[in-house]
């Protein structure tokens, strides 16, 4: 079988085509303190400065060995862009959303007419261009963004879960707004050089809202984003945190090339529930990657491959204190697996 560049290899796997071996990638956040120290690019500056963001993303490849470069490292830039209050990042901890900006349908209207060149949204797009200019011919350049359901929750606050039950018109209007934003943002990342996308929608969980509401408030909006990316020839992966086992058929229904599964999901069971998407995961980022030895990491990773995972990767975002040698052990197992 022919050998492929990392970019070709990942694209073929995500499109269901044969390759020589498993790619070594991470669809969730990749930054760690040891990488920051290795390349002198630290949070919080690497969240806010395009050069430093690109430099830390590059460390995932040059220090860890991932066969892709990926930005950003958090899922708050979109909410901050629309004016939500953000708890700042530290060197070890990502920023978080602590204040919200939408209560009424009028508030949604007031947020329209935005420019994607501003704020950290613009920084992410600039970082993608830096990475694409340097690595775009060889490596996949992964753009990532929060999904429309979780962005709606960031904008509306904890009221969001009640709203979709009590005010369907408002809920659908807000989702139309966030989905339109997602599509515009994703297109700008692609225009700047991203060739594969990751949609992280942590609160769009079957566990939290059930089948009926997932089908109404999540599936059609995810499908719109997938369609927009497919029109641009770009593959797209979905990640939802937690035990998504029962929701996997509905997640698959939106048409994603791949679904990234949490460590709480049994791989063999997931394989039986997903007909179309490639399955990515699901090494425990805390109990395994952060807290075990490299040899123990290798054993866990091999067990996940033996269970049938298509692409080995962390089950959620990498913990900032994760040792480099443990991530390298995971990469080693992935690269050593022949399909």
């Amino acid at each position: 079988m022919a050998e492929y560049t990392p970019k070709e290899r990942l694209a073929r796997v995500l499109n269901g085509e044969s390759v020589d071996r498993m790619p070594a990638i991470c669809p969730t956040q990749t930054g760690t303190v040891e990488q920051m120290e290795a390349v002198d690019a630290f949070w919080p500056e690497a969240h806010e400065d395009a050069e430093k963001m690109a430099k830390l993303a590059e460390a995932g490849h040059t220090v860890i060995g991932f066969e892709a470069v990926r930005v950003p490292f958090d899922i708050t830039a979109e909410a901050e862009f629309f004016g939500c209050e953000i708890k700042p990042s530290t060197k070890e901890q990502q920023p978080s959303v602590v204040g919200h900006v939408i209560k009424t349908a009028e508030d949604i209207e007031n947020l329209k007419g935005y420019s994607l060149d501003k704020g950290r949204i613009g920084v992410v797009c600039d970082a993608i261009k830096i990475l694409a200019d340097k690595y775009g011919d060889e490596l996949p350049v992964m753009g990532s963004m929060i999904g429309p359901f979780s962005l709606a929750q960031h904008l509306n606050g904890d009221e969001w879960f009640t709203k979709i039950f009590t005010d369907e018109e408002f809920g659908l209007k807000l989702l139309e707004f966030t989905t339109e934003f997602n599509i515009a943002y994703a297109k700008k990342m692609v225009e700047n050089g991203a060739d594969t996308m990751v949609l992280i929608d942590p609160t769009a969980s079957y566990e939290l809202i059930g089948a009926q509401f997932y089908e109404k408030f999540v599936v059609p909006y995810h499908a719109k984003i997938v369609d927009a990316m497919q029109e641009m020839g770009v593959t797209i992966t979905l990640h939802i945190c937690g035990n998504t086992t029962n929701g996997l058929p509905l997640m698959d229904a939106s048409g994603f090339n791949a679904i990234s599964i949490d460590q709480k999901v049994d791989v063999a069971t997931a394989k039986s529930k997903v007909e179309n998407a490639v399955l990515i995961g699901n090494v425990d980022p805390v109990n395994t990657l952060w807290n075990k030895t490299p040899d123990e990491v290798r054993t866990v990773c091999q067990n996940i491959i033996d269970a049938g995972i298509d692409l080995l990767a962390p089950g959620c975002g990498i913990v900032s204190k994760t040792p480099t040698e443990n991530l390298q052990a995971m990469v080693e197992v992935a690269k050593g697996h022949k399909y």
Side-chain angles (χ1 to χ4, degrees), residues 100-111 152 154-160 163 167 170-171 174:
H100 314 286
V101 293
I102 288 179
K103 285 189 175 294
T104 67
E106 184 180 356
D107 293 333
I108 300 172
E109 292 299 319
N110 292 336
L111 292 181
H154 275 174
L155 296 176
N156 189 221
D158 290 339
E159 295 178 14
W160 174 240
K163 281 286 191 182
D167 191 345
F170 173 86
L174 183 49

Side-chain angles (χ1 to χ4, degrees), residues 121-158:
I121 296 299
V123 170
V124 172
C125 292
D126 289 344
I128 284 173
K129 189 173 190 315
I130 293 167
L131 292 166
D133 287 346
K134 185 169 185 177
Y135 289 108
D137 291 339
E138 179 74 13
L139 293 180
V141 178
M142 306 178 77
S144 176
M145 59 184 175
I146 195 169
F149 190 90
S150 299
L151 179 54
Q153 190 270 321
H154 275 174
L155 296 176
N156 189 221
D158 290 339

Side-chain angles (χ1 to χ4, degrees), residues 37-148:
E37 292 170 345
V39 300
D40 193 30
F42 296 86
W43 294 345
E45 293 83 6
H47 292 303
E48 300 157 358
D49 178 279
E51 293 282 352
K52 291 180 180 179
M53 183 181 289
K55 197 172 183 181
L56 182 56
E58 182 181 12
H61 173 61
T62 59
V63 176
I64 304 301
F66 289 129
E67 297 176 296
V69 285
R70 180 202 181 281
V71 292
F73 309 105
D74 73 306
I75 54 171
T76 68
E78 298 86 352
E80 182 179 0
F81 176 78
F82 287 114
C84 291
E85 182 183 356
I86 305 295
K87 180 181 178 181
S89 165
T90 67
K91 186 174 76 171
E92 297 179 353
Q93 189 171 26
Q94 296 171 341
S96 58
V97 177
V98 294
H100 314 286
V101 293
I102 288 179
K103 285 189 175 294
T104 67
E106 184 180 356
D107 293 333
I108 300 172
E109 292 299 319
N110 292 336
L111 292 181
K112 294 182 177 180
Y114 48 79
S115 169
L116 292 171
D117 295 326
K118 296 181 178 179
R120 284 203 289 136
I121 296 299
V123 170
V124 172
C125 292
D126 289 344
I128 284 173
K129 189 173 190 315
I130 293 167
L131 292 166
D133 287 346
K134 185 169 185 177
Y135 289 108
D137 291 339
E138 179 74 13
L139 293 180
V141 178
M142 306 178 77
S144 176
M145 59 184 175
I146 195 169

Side-chain angles (χ1 to χ4, degrees), residues 98-334:
V98 294
H100 314 286
V101 293
I102 288 179
K103 285 189 175 294
T104 67
E106 184 180 356
D107 293 333
I108 300 172
E109 292 299 319
N110 292 336
L111 292 181
K112 294 182 177 180
Y114 48 79
S115 169
L116 292 171
D117 295 326
K118 296 181 178 179
R120 284 203 289 136
I121 296 299
V123 170
V124 172
C125 292
D126 289 344
I128 284 173
K129 189 173 190 315
I130 293 167
L131 292 166
D133 287 346
K134 185 169 185 177
Y135 289 108
D137 291 339
E138 179 74 13
L139 293 180
V141 178
M142 306 178 77
S144 176
M145 59 184 175
I146 195 169
F149 190 90
S150 299
L151 179 54
Q153 190 270 321
H154 275 174
L155 296 176
N156 189 221
D158 290 339
E159 295 178 14
W160 174 240
F161 295 103
T162 303
K163 281 286 191 182
I164 64 171
F165 286 90
T166 62
D167 191 345
E168 180 177 302
E169 182 179 355
F170 173 86
L172 296 176
K173 185 178 180 69
L174 183 49
L175 282 168
E176 289 288 349
F177 173 77
T178 56
T179 301
E180 287 173 6
F181 165 78
N182 276 132
I183 291 170
Y185 183 26
K187 285 182 174 179
K188 185 171 178 63
M189 283 192 269
V190 173
E191 289 164 0
N192 278 32
D195 50 63
T196 186
M197 293 297 304
V198 182
L199 191 74
I200 298 180
D201 216 348
T203 58
S205 172
Y206 182 99
E207 273 191 304
L208 292 176
I209 62 176
Q212 178 183 348
F213 285 90
Y214 190 97
E215 195 162 8
K216 176 173 284 188
F217 290 95
V218 180
V219 171
Y221 301 98
H222 281 179
K224 287 183 179 182
I225 297 167
V226 170
D227 289 346
M229 292 297 93
Q230 289 179 344
E231 287 175 8
M232 299 184 80
V234 173
T235 54
I236 182 165
T237 296
L238 172 66
H239 178 82
I240 295 178
C241 302
N243 187 355
T244 56
T245 303
N246 292 330
L248 285 169
L250 284 173
M251 293 166 68
D252 196 28
S254 295
F256 290 93
N257 296 89
I259 294 172
S260 166
I261 56 173
D262 189 289
Q263 58 274 8
K264 294 178 181 178
V265 178
D266 177 73
V267 172
T269 303
K271 291 287 286 185
S272 72
K273 290 179 173 288
V274 174
E275 294 184 5
N276 302 305
V278 169
L279 278 182
I280 304 178
N282 65 339
V283 186
D284 191 318
V286 176
N287 294 324
T288 298
L289 291 173
W290 182 14
N291 287 318
K292 290 190 181 298
T293 67
D295 282 343
E296 289 172 323
V297 170
R298 291 185 187 94
T299 298
V300 170
C301 289
Q302 189 59 54
N303 289 340
I304 291 170
I305 288 176
D306 291 343
I309 204 72
D310 298 308
L311 270 170
L312 184 71
C316 199
I318 295 170
V319 178
S320 64
K321 294 183 180 181
T322 303
T324 293
E325 61 180 359
N326 283 1
L327 295 173
Q328 290 171 334
M330 178 179 64
V331 166
E332 175 190 321
V333 173

